[in-house]
């Protein structure tokens, strides 16, 4: 069945080396249009490095990365800009510009990519702010005036500014309390369905995996050792996977996922 699905992201033979440290060696991965893919792995496994390699912030030592059918490792800069407009990226804690208001932060991608009248840019930015679940009065606030959860939502609003087809999220629930993390997961699930987004989610949060992910990819020993539905992944014999999914935190996440209706 997977052969019939469109791969919007395809990684083949990815190798990332930093000095003597080999982070990835022969890593392969496909991400299908419309799915929420959770990417997990132990500390230092290279989850964020993989994300950065896909979006062009990290040049791989070797291998190929294909986005929307185009090999991004061989694109001219002007062609790469066209690809970049088709995805949104949210870093941990939002990575907002501290000297700009939330509204101004969300407008940055619009100003950089399009010549829009000021009023229209403001209107689009306000729409994204509300889509991210922020109150309208948050638009005039600076990042330092926001809670951690609100900063993440502001970062999400900016990632949505250009109406992306793919949304990259790097540890979006890190640092949030359980209630805030669950609310953010629900928001991503709702936006994914409403906007027909493909979501690439780097996380360590087991609750997120059970709540919103269609498939889970596990990075271990420098490559993806399994990518499948979570019910399949949790039974994989890899030692790290067994340790991850058989502890008390995993059992709690499983029960929460069952209560919320875990994706098949």
């Amino acid at each position: 069945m997977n052969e019939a699905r469109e791969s919007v992201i395809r990684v083949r033979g990815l190798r990332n080396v930093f000095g003597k440290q080999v982070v990835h060696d022969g890593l392969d991965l496909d991400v299908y249009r419309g799915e929420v893919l959770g990417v997990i792995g132990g500390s230092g496994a290279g989850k964020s490095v993989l994300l950065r390699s896909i979006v062009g912030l990290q040049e791989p030592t070797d291998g190929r990365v294909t986005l929307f059918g185009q090999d991004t490792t061989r694109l001219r800069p002007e062609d790469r800009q066209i690809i970049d407009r088709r995805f949104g990226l949210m870093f941990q804690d939002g990575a907002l510009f501290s000297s700009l208001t939330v509204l101004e932060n969300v407008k940055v991608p619009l100003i950089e990519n399009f010549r829009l009248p000021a009023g229209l840019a403001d209107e689009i930015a306000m729409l994204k702010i509300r889509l991210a679940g922020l109150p309208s009065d948050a638009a005039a606030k600076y990042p330092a005036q926001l809670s951690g959860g609100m900063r993440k939502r502001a970062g999400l609003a900016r990632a949505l500014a250009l109406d992306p087809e793919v949304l990259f999220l790097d540890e979006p629930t890190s640092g949030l309390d359980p209630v805030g993390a669950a609310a953010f997961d629900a928001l991503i699930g709702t936006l994914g369905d409403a906007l027909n987004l493909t979501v690439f989610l780097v996380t360590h949060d087991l609750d997120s995996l059970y709540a919103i992910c269609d498939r889970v990819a596990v990075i271990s020993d420098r490559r993806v050792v399994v990518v499948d539905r979570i019910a399949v992944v949790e039974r994989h014999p890899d030692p790290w996977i067994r340790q991850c999914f058989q502890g008390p935190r995993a059992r709690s996440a499983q029960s929460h996922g069952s209560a919320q209706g875990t994706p098949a």
Side-chain angles (χ1 to χ4, degrees), residues 47 55 57 74 104 107 132 142 157-158 211-212 240 262:
K47 303 181 293 296
V55 302
L57 295 177
R74 293 167 173 81
E104 291 167 339
K107 285 168 57 178
Y142 290 90
R158 187 175 62 187
I212 62 172
W240 185 86
T262 306

Side-chain angles (χ1 to χ4, degrees), residues 69-194:
Q70 298 194 55
D71 184 352
T72 60
T73 57
R74 293 167 173 81
L75 283 180
R76 296 177 302 174
E78 56 269 30
D79 294 327
R80 176 77 212 201
Q81 289 180 351
I82 296 173
I83 292 291
D84 290 347
R85 292 173 187 165
R86 298 176 66 181
F87 66 80
L89 172 60
M90 177 190 158
F91 293 104
Q92 293 185 45
D93 201 38
L96 302 170
F97 297 110
S98 61
S99 60
L100 301 181
T101 66
V102 170
L103 182 69
E104 291 167 339
N105 265 282
V106 178
K107 285 168 57 178
V108 166
L110 297 168
I111 294 170
E112 287 183 341
N113 288 279
F114 303 107
R115 295 180 178 178
L116 298 177
L120 179 57
D122 285 348
E123 185 177 338
I124 294 172
M126 284 302 302
L127 172 63
K128 306 305 179 182
I129 289 169
R130 287 191 285 267
L131 270 178
L134 286 171
S136 297
D137 61 4
K141 294 182 178 180
Y142 290 90
Q145 298 174 303
L146 304 176
S147 67
M150 292 179 73
R151 283 195 299 273
K152 289 178 183 290
R153 288 175 183 260
L156 176 61
R158 187 175 62 187
L160 294 171
L162 300 181
D163 295 327
E165 298 169 52
V166 178
L167 184 62
F168 291 92
L169 306 174
D170 191 3
E171 299 282 7
T173 59
S174 176
L176 296 181
D177 62 79
V179 173
F184 198 93
D185 284 341
L187 174 63
I188 295 302
T190 299
L191 289 175
D193 291 339

